[in-house]
Structures are given as structure tokens and as C-alpha cells.
Amino acid sequence: MRTIPIPEGSPFGLANLPYGVFSTSGTAPRVGVRVGDSVVDLARALGDDVFARPTLNAFMAQGYERWGEVRRRITELVSGGGVPEDAVFAVDAVTLHLPIEVADYVDFYASEHHASNLGRLFRPDAEPLMPNWKHLPVGYHGRAGTVVLSGTGIVRPRGQRKGEGAPTFGESRRLDIEAEMGFIVGAGSPLGTPIGCADFGRHVFGAVLVNDWSARDIQAWEYVPLGPFLGKSFATSISAWVVPLPALEHARVPTPPQDPEPLPYLREASPWGLDIDLAVEWNGEVVSRPPYREMYWSPAQMLAHMTVNGASARTGDLYASGTISGPGPDQRGAFIELTWGGKEPIKVNGRERTFLEDGDEVVISATAPGPDGVRIGFGDVRGRVLPARD
Amino acid sequence: MRTIPIPEGSPFGLANLPYGVFSTSGTAPRVGVRVGDSVVDLARALGDDVFARPTLNAFMAQGYERWGEVRRRITELVSGGGVPEDAVFAVDAVTLHLPIEVADYVDFYASEHHASNLGRLFRPDAEPLMPNWKHLPVGYHGRAGTVVLSGTGIVRPRGQRKGEGAPTFGESRRLDIEAEMGFIVGAGSPLGTPIGCADFGRHVFGAVLVNDWSARDIQAWEYVPLGPFLGKSFATSISAWVVPLPALEHARVPTPPQDPEPLPYLREASPWGLDIDLAVEWNGEVVSRPPYREMYWSPAQMLAHMTVNGASARTGDLYASGTISGPGPDQRGAFIELTWGGKEPIKVNGRERTFLEDGDEVVISATAPGPDGVRIGFGDVRGRVLPARD
């Protein structure tokens, strides 16, 4: 048995305990929990085979009470110095894997600042927000099969782009990011039974960082009338560590005022806005600090909306917030906004930049307030752009 | 060993051999093949455990050569009278199950007649077809988790509907169908590698009938700018029998002329339009006969488009054609078209009808030409509307 050192001020202390899937050389992927700079092998530490799986899904499917029980047991083991020696690995010495098997992937559009900016850019002659925007969390389904782990190389997509008269075909020239938070459904719901806002915490297991890579030229040509498709479906990256919902208790804040008042099924008795600070690094330089607390719609409202028509939710459903943009010009979570459609380049490492070039790396990180002044860390979601393939 | 009787003119003769998943009282769901009015238990008949699974996915993942080998083996067994006695069940005596585990679900919009009609109805002041429509097969991702087996009751969804000033909330008053064909990816493709039109037959395992239930009032309010969401995600029904692609060889026809010529990645050397005749019954009365041969984009073009940006395909991916509508008023595959937005009711069993009422049943069936004048049957996809739930 041993004690796990937790560096002073670590964003992965006892108040966090995020889950991931890891392997070591020659061993199968399995569930671990991150403590400081270590990973605890949960199948070994708790002697439960539900963690000897290549994703979190089997554990998540056990439900809310069980999540609480395991979190308490891990806290006891770690704080009591009772973790078996052979269950502890240095985080730098393990390989991380996609933590969940994604069931359905939905992407929302919950930032008023982002939706307004995109409206101005894509539809300059119309009102920036559509008439429905303040009445419901606008969202759409994305491609679950191309959700990839942080660190996966992002091959520049090819596709149709609007041309003079006829479209042209080729590699995207306006490759962009979207800095988002993602919420993972652990416990599903049967067909025909909506999940009310108040039941958010019983269904959602935790949160990850999301980079919803976007090819703006492909998107702008294809998206009418059925929405984004190939401009998004080539890759969506998520962070490796799933921060459990209870770790975000201290980050709970009200959403910004919602006016007009939402319909009853979208009203929340207790606030589930989240005070999460993101940072977007472009080739090592921070170019934006999107504040999650500015999001108009809360994660609980998104889930309530997604299921109000009776759609079932499943273990492994991932829904993302949409790009997080604050009111300030340096709080925008997509380059199309930061550079105003590419017309106002920003300086990155001394060079004027608009969209992504081959070889560029983007790293999105985030922390949230925890108890006693500590920060809860999400780690990061990163990706490097690889050249288009012939 | 026994011979399986095949009724004269059966749409489930040796030229078809569709796959499904069935169970008998007290037994686990497993893969079967339909022959006439019988189901052959493939795990027993072929002695291969890949068929002793609750979906077709494991078999489909074995790939194209294996699909051909199994089809030849079944043909030999059935035509040679070599099916074990205990492997044969009457189709009326078994319970059918969803035949595949759906990975991603994509819905296209490949009928020019449907897209034009919907454009006129949803955007009366604009050109009915968007500028992109004749350059690419427009499509979007739907909800894989709510794809259900034919026969599943369809609970009327609730949601937001456009109102005077503010939206109202309640049950959909414009519940509709969409008669479609669905194509199932059996063998996937890695991230970054598009599937060309010519490789369609190596990746697509077979076809099913699809009813993409649609709440038009919910859809009309929510769909800008990111596309349909809750107006579709409450349920999508598919037929129980997956017709293998080789059974459709005699149904291959060219698509209607495509003008302008598509970009090179969408050009087909050999035609993969399909001469499938559908029939839509509303409470037992045929109200429409949508002709699949009228579809502008072919299934091979849809798959090529869906992956041209490097998106991977997975075993179990389902993509549907979008509503099948022909040029004639009695060839439209959705009630919103048949009744022109509800303004021109049609007579069903002597009553004027527009959208679906509780208790209504819709049955969509289809056949295609096979060899020697036989017809290849898809069976049907059916569903009854149940009242909204409190």
C-alpha cells in the first residue's frame, strides 16, 4: 500500500478525481483515475472488473448511486494511503485512450456571443440571431464515429467549396477550431421519457473539453437547408480525462439572465451554469480565453431540450456546448470570430494569421473553481493539423 | 435435413435471401435468413457462432468476400435441401428484432421532387432548390439511438411550435412520415480515407425500408440555422429484413440525367440507381407509390460524398435516401407533400386527412425486379401513432 503524492496546487487533487482509460506497454486499455501526476488502475485498486474495460461505458451504465459510491471509495483509498503499489502509474508513463464509446454526438450553439458573431459573418444582411435562438438551445447531431482522443492528428479535409458559378473541389482553406465543453451521459433514459432539468445530475456523468474542428469553406457551401455536415464530420477531439459532475459543484453559477423567460420545461430551480475558464493556445501562444460562465443555455437545459420530444438518451451520449465565446474580442472560441471571417488577422508568434496552416498545433485547456481555493483541471485537448492526403 | 417450401412468386425466394435477427420463445436473438415464409437459423445451419449474436454487425464486419461466401453457402444449402430440420422456423412464429446496432445515422435529401416541394412549402419566397443542391447530395446526421424496429409504436412527440410572437409548447399537430430507403455499411473505412463511388459494393452490405417520422411544426421552428433536430429525433423506423446488395443487381438503373455534371469524386462508371417501387398505406389504403428510380443522387454517390472529407465509416452506419418522391402527385413520400402543407387534404377511407392522428397506422412496403421476372421483397416498415405522454 502507498500514498500518492499530490503536488501543491495540483488541478488533479482529491476534489477532482477525473476518470480516463489508459494502458501500459503490453497491457490492455482499462479505466483509471488521475490523482496528481499519477494514474490509479481502478480494477486493481478496487478489485472490480467493471473497470477492466476499454471504455468507461460499463461503469457509467451502473448509474448515479454507484458513481457516488466509487468516488467515495477512491477518496478513502487515496487519502488513507491505501492504494496498492502495483495500481499506481506515472501519468507520463501511460498511453491514454478515448475514454468513452460515443453513442450519439450532439453539438449545441449555446453562446449568444458566438451565435451572434457567426450570424453576422454568414448572413450579413439578416438579424444575427434567428427568431428561435432565445427560446430553445439550438443544436444538431454530429458524427459520433469521428470523435477522437486529444493528440490525434487532424488531416486537413477536402471537399466542395463555393466558387464562381460552380463549386470547386479541394482542400479546405479555412480550417478552424471551436473551443467547447462536452457533457457525457452516463445513465440513459427510455424512449418516450424526457429528462427534466432537475434530473441533470442523475444522468450526466461528467465533462470533457471539446475541439470541434470546422472547415468553414465546406460548411458555408453545404449547410443550407439541413445544417453542417462534412464541414464538421472529419474530426472532433475530446480531452482524455472525464471530470465527474460532483467535482464541478463549486463551479456552479447562474446562467446570464434569460429574457424572454424560457418555456417551463427549460426552467431551472437551481443553477447549472458553470464558471469554467478556458484558454486557447495557437502554436504555444494564448490567443483567447473563453469564459464558460457566459453561456446563455445551461448544460441541464440542453439535456432537457434534447429529450423533450421523447428521444431516449444512452450511456455514452456526448453533447457539446457549441463554441464558447465571451463578449470581449479576446474571448472568442473560434478563429473565424477572432479574425472576423479572416478579414482581421491576429498576430501569433509575430506573424499575421487567420485560419489553420499545416503543422499548426492548437491546445485548449481549462480549469474551474474547486473547494478551498483549489482549481479543478480538465487537462487539455490538443491537435496538430496534418496535410490533406491525395 | 429438409427442403424449405418457397411459394410461387414469393418475394423472398433464392434471389433475395435477406438477413434479420429473430428469437423464439425463451431463446436469445440471433441471425436468420428469410426463405419464403420461413426463417433459417444461420448459427445452426452453418455452424458458425458469428450468427449467434443479437445483431448482424459481427458478420457484416467480416467483409465483402465473406458476405459472398455465406450467400453462396446458403444458396447451396437451401436449393440442395440440406438445411437442418431444427434450424427452420415459420416466420409467423418468431419475434423479430432490430437487425443491426446502428453506428452513425445520416439522412440525405436526394429526391429532386421532394426537395423542390419542401422548398416551396418551407420557403415560399425563394428558389425551391438551394444553389448547392445539384452539386452535392445534401445530408445531415440524425439520432442513431432512436432508430427502432418496424412495428414499434410511435409516441407523438411534444415540443416547441412557432406561435404568435412567442412559441407554444405541446404535442405535434403536424406529425408526418417520410418514405425512404436506407443503406447499411457493413465494412467500414479508416479515418482519412474516402470511399470512392466504385467501392460502394465492397462497403455497403444491404438495404432496408425507412420511415423517418417527422414533426413538421417542431421542425419548421427549430431548423434554422443548424438543420432538423427534435422534429426528427424521436423515432426512425426500419424494416426487419436487410436485403443484401447482390439481390438488387437486377434493379440497377442509371440515375436521372445529372446536369450540371457532378465533380469527379461523384462520377459513377456503372449505374447504381435502383428501380425500387414503394407503396405507402395509410390505415390500409394505398395513398402513394414513390418510385426510387427517380432519385437524383445514387446510394454510391451518397457514400462517396459522406466520406470525401476523410470521415471514417463504421460497421452499422445507416444512411437513408431522404423522402422518395416522384414527379406525380400520387408519388410523394411524405404527407406534407401529398396534402401540400395540409392545405389540400386527401381522402383516406372516405375521410379528408392531412397529418397523422393518434391510432393511425402507416405501412411502407417495396419490391424490386429480380431475375426471371421474380420480384425481390423488402417486406415493410410499419408503425402506429400512440398518444403523447404526460
Side-chain angles (χ1 to χ4, degrees):
Chain A
M1 298 299 170
R2 58 169 288 188
T3 300
I4 300 171
I6 301 178
E8 176 80 20
S10 171
F12 300 105
L14 285 171
N16 191 348
L17 301 176
Y19 297 94
V21 170
F22 77 102
S23 62
T24 52
S25 178
T27 67
R30 55 202 186 272
V31 174
V33 67
R34 181 159 177 180
V35 181
D37 298 325
S38 303
V39 181
V40 176
D41 181 325
L42 286 180
R44 280 193 199 165
L46 302 179
D48 185 338
D49 273 357
V50 78
F51 301 109
R53 313 279 180 96
T55 70
L56 283 162
N57 290 47
F59 167 50
M60 294 195 299
Q62 293 183 328
Y64 172 77
E65 279 82 10
R66 172 75 174 147
W67 308 339
E69 184 187 309
V70 168
R71 188 168 167 82
R72 282 189 297 277
R73 187 83 187 101
I74 294 170
T75 305
E76 284 165 18
L77 276 185
V78 172
S79 54
V83 181
E85 186 70 39
D86 67 354
V88 184
F89 300 87
V91 70
D92 289 343
V94 304
T95 301
L96 295 169
H97 303 269
L98 194 66
I100 60 166
E101 183 182 350
V102 182
D104 270 299
Y105 167 49
V106 166
D107 197 20
F108 284 95
Y109 195 52
S111 158
E112 181 175 1
H113 305 290
H114 172 70
S116 301
N117 287 337
L118 268 274
R120 287 188 195 101
L121 288 165
F122 275 88
R123 297 174 296 278
D125 302 327
E127 278 291 312
L129 285 185
M130 294 287 185
N132 57 16
W133 199 91
K134 291 214 163 181
H135 294 282
L136 54 82
V138 169
Y140 69 104
H141 285 89
R143 192 163 185 83
T146 53
V147 173
V148 298
L149 181 67
S150 171
T152 304
I154 304 302
V155 177
R156 182 181 298 275
R158 295 171 186 262
Q160 293 197 24
R161 309 157 306 197
K162 192 174 183 173
E164 301 293 320
T168 60
F169 181 85
E171 51 192 65
S172 172
R173 296 171 184 140
R174 288 163 73 89
L175 186 58
D176 196 358
I177 64 151
E178 296 200 327
E180 310 192 9
M181 294 299 306
F183 301 91
I184 294 167
V185 174
S189 58
L191 196 63
T193 307
I195 299 174
C197 282
D199 286 330
F200 171 69
R202 297 186 71 84
H203 290 274
V204 168
F205 178 79
V208 290
L209 287 163
V210 175
N211 186 347
D212 187 35
W213 305 90
S214 299
R216 301 298 181 189
D217 40 3
I218 296 172
Q219 181 187 357
W221 170 238
E222 74 178 355
Y223 90 107
V224 284
L226 300 186
F229 185 34
L230 298 178
K232 303 279 194 170
S233 67
F234 55 97
T236 304
S237 302
I238 68 171
S239 52
W241 297 105
V242 181
V243 173
L245 218 55
L248 298 175
E249 276 298 324
H250 293 265
R252 286 172 67 168
V253 288
T255 54
Q258 296 182 332
D259 180 23
E261 186 181 34
L263 282 160
Y265 79 93
L266 290 173
R267 289 180 202 156
E268 287 190 274
S270 63
W272 260 113
L274 289 166
D275 182 17
I276 303 172
D277 288 317
L278 286 84
V280 178
E281 281 178 45
W282 190 346
N283 293 337
E285 182 170 338
V286 174
V287 294
S288 175
R289 295 189 182 278
Y292 196 84
R293 80 191 71 82
E294 292 284 343
M295 299 300 274
Y296 191 86
W297 297 106
S298 77
Q301 290 175 316
M302 295 180 215
L303 182 62
H305 184 63
M306 188 162 65
T307 59
V308 72
N309 66 344
S312 46
R314 289 184 294 171
T315 296
D317 280 350
L318 168 69
Y319 65 98
S321 59
T323 304
I324 305 160
S325 290
D330 56 350
Q331 295 183 316
R332 295 171 180 163
F335 296 161
I336 192 171
E337 288 174 80
L338 274 175
T339 68
W340 209 250
K343 287 182 294 229
E344 300 174 11
I346 59 169
K347 280 258 167 78
V348 182
N349 297 327
R351 276 186 57 213
E352 293 213 325
R353 299 298 308 276
T354 52
F355 292 98
L356 287 162
E357 295 177 2
D358 293 349
D360 280 354
E361 187 182 45
V362 175
V363 179
I364 303 167
S365 57
T367 62
D372 308 318
V374 307
R375 300 291 293 178
I376 301 292
F378 285 84
D380 59 43
V381 58
R382 59 179 62 219
R384 190 179 292 281
V385 178
L386 305 178
R389 290 196 195 142
D390 279 330
Chain B
M1 298 296 169
R2 60 171 288 191
T3 299
I4 300 170
I6 301 177
E8 177 81 19
S10 170
F12 299 104
L14 284 172
N16 190 348
L17 300 176
Y19 296 95
V21 170
F22 77 102
S23 62
T24 51
S25 178
T27 68
R30 55 204 188 270
V31 174
V33 68
R34 181 159 177 179
V35 181
D37 298 325
S38 303
V39 181
V40 176
D41 180 326
L42 285 181
R44 279 191 199 166
L46 301 180
D48 186 337
D49 273 356
V50 79
F51 301 109
R53 313 279 179 97
T55 70
L56 283 162
N57 290 45
F59 168 49
M60 293 196 299
Q62 293 183 327
Y64 171 78
E65 279 81 12
R66 172 74 173 148
W67 309 338
E69 184 189 308
V70 168
R71 188 169 166 83
R72 284 189 296 275
R73 187 83 187 100
I74 294 170
T75 305
E76 284 166 17
L77 276 183
V78 173
S79 53
V83 181
E85 186 71 40
D86 66 355
V88 183
F89 300 87
V91 70
D92 290 343
V94 305
T95 301
L96 295 170
H97 303 270
L98 194 67
I100 61 166
E101 182 183 349
V102 182
D104 270 300
Y105 167 49
V106 165
D107 196 22
F108 283 94
Y109 195 52
S111 159
E112 182 175 0
H113 305 290
H114 172 71
S116 300
N117 288 335
L118 268 275
R120 287 187 195 100
L121 287 164
F122 275 88
R123 297 175 296 277
D125 302 326
E127 279 292 311
L129 285 186
M130 294 287 185
N132 58 15
W133 199 91
K134 292 215 162 178
H135 294 283
L136 54 83
V138 169
Y140 70 103
H141 285 89
R143 192 164 185 82
T146 52
V147 173
V148 299
L149 181 68
S150 171
T152 304
I154 304 302
V155 177
R156 181 181 297 274
R158 293 170 187 264
Q160 293 198 25
R161 309 157 308 199
K162 193 173 183 174
E164 301 293 319
T168 60
F169 182 85
E171 50 192 62
S172 172
R173 296 170 183 142
R174 289 164 74 88
L175 186 58
D176 197 359
I177 64 152
E178 296 199 327
E180 310 192 8
M181 293 299 306
F183 302 90
I184 294 167
V185 173
S189 58
L191 195 63
T193 307
I195 299 174
C197 283
D199 285 331
F200 171 69
R202 297 187 71 85
H203 289 273
V204 168
F205 179 80
V208 291
L209 287 163
V210 175
N211 186 346
D212 187 34
W213 305 90
S214 299
R216 300 298 181 187
D217 39 4
I218 296 172
Q219 180 186 357
W221 170 237
E222 73 177 357
Y223 90 106
V224 284
L226 301 186
F229 186 31
L230 298 177
K232 303 280 193 167
S233 66
F234 55 97
T236 304
S237 303
I238 67 171
S239 52
W241 298 106
V242 181
V243 173
L245 217 55
L248 297 175
E249 276 297 323
H250 293 264
R252 287 172 66 167
V253 289
T255 53
Q258 297 182 332
D259 180 21
E261 185 181 33
L263 282 161
Y265 79 94
L266 291 172
R267 290 180 201 155
E268 288 190 272
S270 62
W272 260 113
L274 290 166
D275 183 17
I276 304 172
D277 288 318
L278 286 84
V280 178
E281 282 178 46
W282 190 346
N283 294 337
E285 182 170 336
V286 174
V287 293
S288 175
R289 296 190 182 278
Y292 195 84
R293 78 190 72 82
E294 292 284 342
M295 300 300 273
Y296 191 86
W297 297 107
S298 77
Q301 289 175 316
M302 296 180 216
L303 182 63
H305 184 63
M306 187 161 66
T307 59
V308 73
N309 66 345
S312 47
R314 288 183 293 171
T315 295
D317 279 351
L318 168 69
Y319 65 97
S321 60
T323 305
I324 304 160
S325 291
D330 56 349
Q331 296 183 318
R332 295 171 181 164
F335 296 161
I336 192 171
E337 288 174 79
L338 274 175
T339 68
W340 208 250
K343 286 182 295 229
E344 300 173 12
I346 58 168
K347 279 259 167 76
V348 181
N349 297 328
R351 276 185 57 215
E352 292 214 326
R353 298 299 307 276
T354 53
F355 292 99
L356 287 162
E357 295 177 2
D358 293 348
D360 280 355
E361 186 180 49
V362 175
V363 179
I364 303 167
S365 57
T367 62
D372 308 319
V374 305
R375 300 291 293 177
I376 301 292
F378 285 84
D380 59 43
V381 57
R382 58 179 63 218
R384 190 178 294 279
V385 178
L386 305 177
R389 289 194 195 144
D390 280 329

